[in-house]
Each structure stands twice: as C-alpha cells, then as structure tokens.
C-alpha cells in the first residue's frame, strides 16, 4: 500500500472505506413508528429487505437508527434502543456486504453493536453523553461527530450565530480534541456540519455555501440533507416532494468535497455521484 492509499483508507471494523471516492450512506430507520405493526420478525425482515435494496442501488454504508431526533419524540431507554437496533445490525452484518453505521448517542448501544459488526458510530450529539467518549474509544471504530446546539427537543427554539460556519468549525475542533484526549485519534474521525440541527434556513444555506472551509480541520465530511426542511423551506415543498432539491444539494456537496452523503433516496443519489465522478475522471 502506498502512503497515499493509507491516507484514504478508513478501517471500519471488518471493512474499509476508500475516502478517495464519494460514498452514499442509506438511511434505515428502525423506530417503531416507521413500521406498521406486523410483529418482530416481519419488521426485521422488512428492514433487511430495505437495506438490501439500498446496497443493490449502490450504498456502501447503511445508517441504522433506533432513536427519533424529531422535536417532541418520546425519549427511548438504552435497553429499548438496543433491542431495536442490535438484531438488525447482526442481521445486516451476516447477510450483506456493507459498512454498518449506528446512529446513536448511547454508550451501551455503541459497545454492543460494535461487537455485533457495526463499522462506524454516528452520534448527532458528538459523544457528549456521559460515558460516550469512553465507549466509542473502546470499540476502536471511527466516529462521526456532528454539530448541534442543545438537544433535539429544544434545538430549533431560537438558534443564534455570529458566523455559523466558523462556530460549527470551532465546535467540531473542540469535539476532535475531546476525542483525542479519550483515545480516539483524528484519523478515526469524520465530521458533519449538522444540517437542520439548531439552525434556521439562512444558517443552513450559509453553512452549505461555505462548507469547504471545514476541510481545514483535515477530516472527511459527511453531509445529511435528504428530505430535510431546508429543502422544504427553500422550495416550498412538503416532505414527499423534496427529491430534486435533495439531489441538487447532493451534487453540490459532492463538488464541495463531501465524502459521505447520508440519504433516503440511494439509487438517485448514486447516479448523481457516479455522473460527477465520470466527468471528474476525464482528461
Ligand atoms: C445528519 O444530518 N440527521 S436524523 C428531518 C427530516 C428529514 C430527515 C423531514 N441523523 C443526520 O435524517 N446523522 C439525522 O425532515 C444524522 N447527520 C448525521 N451524521 C434526521 C433526519 C431528518 C430529519
């Protein structure tokens, strides 16, 4: 392996992510409200089939989440979250060739899903819960640190910034330092501006426009804007009509150097990424 390759290869448990390319991460929600009441087996089976379809469409990562971050969502106990997420992590690891990301802030969920084959810890709270830094460090897995002020329940109350991109960068730099002190080296960190978390439409647009400045932190960027209200508000579209706006943002994020795009619509986003790669690899 050349030293250049070692810089672009991120070990994720039993798999490796090639950071020279832009990857599509498919979203798999396993919150109970995302299924009809068909019983445990059929829920697991439906989740596996959804994951399988996303992998077939070109997703190289699947983000499994068992906690809703919607304002007003009911708090989920660690045990309840683990009971939702663990079986699907185990099943995907056994059945599919894909990196499993676990969208969690809960130390016990980090430890147990790492044991069951997860390859990445994706924490919207940037490992700020008690015990989360130590749990993530103990897994040896990469972590995605995301910017958010406050908690999902109160984050949209009245977010204020002087310079949103600078403040997001400062926050992420502080969380990288906290990780380093806890034994998670920078080489194992992915950074996320946190679109839609404690930000107005204008904050989200400005942060998106200037996201390249976050490359100064020296780590790959993950962007999650799929179906979010920044598209809804900019275009005046309900959640079911945000695909084209989301694809425009996926293309822009990719051109701005984002390495992982977290999306619901995998096949469409994979076409966007592949088309851009085709042009960029031309003479
Ligand atoms: C993210 O950006 N987001 S959960 C509201 C929507 C649509 C989608 C209808 N987890 C992120 O996906 N993890 C979530 O409006 C995340 N980055 C990372 N790393 C929220 C979500 C959503 C919310």
């Amino acid at each position: 392996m050349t030293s250049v390759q070692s810089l672009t290869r991120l070990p994720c448990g039993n798999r490796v992510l090639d950071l020279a390319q832009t990857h599509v991460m498919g979203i798999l929600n396993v919150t109970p409200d995302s299924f009809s009441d068909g019983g445990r087996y059929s829920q697991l089976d439906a989740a596996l089939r959804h994951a399988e379809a996303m992998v077939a469409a070109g997703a190289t990562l699947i983000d499994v989440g068992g906690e809703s971050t919607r304002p007003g969502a009911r708090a989920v106990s660690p045990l309840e979250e683990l009971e939702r997420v663990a079986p699907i992590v185990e099943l995907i690891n056994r059945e599919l060739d894909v990196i499993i990301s676990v969208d969690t802030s809960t130390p016990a969920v980090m430890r147990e899903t790492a044991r069951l084959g997860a390859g990445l810890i994706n924490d919207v709270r940037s490992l700020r819960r008690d015990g989360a830094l130590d749990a993530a460090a103990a897994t040896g897995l990469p972590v995605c640190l995301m910017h958010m002020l406050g908690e999902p329940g109160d984050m949209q109350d009245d977010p204020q910034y002087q310079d949103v991109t600078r403040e997001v960068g400062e926050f992420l730099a502080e969380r990288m330092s906290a990780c380093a002190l806890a034994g998670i080296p920078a080489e194992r960190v992915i950074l996320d501006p946190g679109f839609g978390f404690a930000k107005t439409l204008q904050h989200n647009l400005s942060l998106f426009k200037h996201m390249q400045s976050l490359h100064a932190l020296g780590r790959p960027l993950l962007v999650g804007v799929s179906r979010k209200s920044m598209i809804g508000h900019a275009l005046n579209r309900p959640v079911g009509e945000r695909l084209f706006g989301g694809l425009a943002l996926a293309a822009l994020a990719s051109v701005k150097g984002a390495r992982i795009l977290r999306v619901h619509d995998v096949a469409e986003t994979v076409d966007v990424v592949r088309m851009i790669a085709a042009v960029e690899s031309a003479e």
Side-chain angles (χ1 to χ4, degrees), residues 69 103 122 124 146 192 197 222 224 226-228 239 262:
T69 53
D103 196 339
N122 172 31
V124 299
M146 194 196 80
D192 185 336
F197 288 87
L222 184 154
S226 182
R227 300 184 188 174
K228 284 187 180 172
V239 67
R262 180 183 178 277

Side-chain angles (χ1 to χ4, degrees), residues 123-135:
D123 183 6
V124 299
R125 295 178 183 79
S126 274
L127 307 176
R128 286 180 293 164
R129 275 210 183 141
D130 281 348
L133 279 166
D134 288 342

Side-chain angles (χ1 to χ4, degrees), residues 1 15 29 31 80 89 114 134 148 166 168 232 264 272:
M1 201 196 328
R15 295 190 172 81
N29 285 318
T31 47
E80 199 177 340
V89 168
D134 288 342
M148 168 170 62
R166 181 173 53 75
V168 166
H264 302 87
V272 166

Side-chain angles (χ1 to χ4, degrees), residues 62-162:
I62 299 287
D63 190 39
V64 180
E67 186 216 9
S68 174
T69 53
R70 280 188 197 159
R74 190 176 61 83
V76 173
S77 76
L79 185 62
E80 199 177 340
E81 188 188 341
L82 192 60
E83 283 173 348
R84 287 181 193 175
V85 169
I88 189 68
V89 168
E90 194 172 21
L91 192 59
I92 293 174
N93 184 52
R94 194 174 71 214
E95 301 290 336
L96 304 177
D97 184 20
V98 70
I99 296 170
I100 304 166
S101 160
V102 181
D103 196 339
T104 188
S105 303
T106 309
V109 174
M110 295 173 189
R111 292 180 193 272
E112 183 62 13
T113 57
R115 207 181 57 78
L116 295 172
L120 174 68
I121 294 167
N122 172 31
D123 183 6
V124 299
R125 295 178 183 79
S126 274
L127 307 176
R128 286 180 293 164
R129 275 210 183 141
D130 281 348
L133 279 166
D134 288 342
T139 68
L141 296 178
V143 298
C144 178
L145 305 176
M146 194 196 80
H147 175 269
M148 168 170 62
L149 294 181
E151 276 285 311
D154 62 24
M155 65 181 177
Q156 289 301 91
D157 287 358
D158 186 20
Q160 306 258 355
Y161 303 89
Q162 291 272 325

Side-chain angles (χ1 to χ4, degrees), residues 30-50:
V30 291
T31 47
D33 36 294
S34 51
F35 294 103
S36 56
D37 53 354
R40 273 177 68 82
Y41 169 78
S42 78
Q43 288 189 11
L44 251 184
D45 188 56
L48 179 64
R49 280 186 284 105
H50 186 193

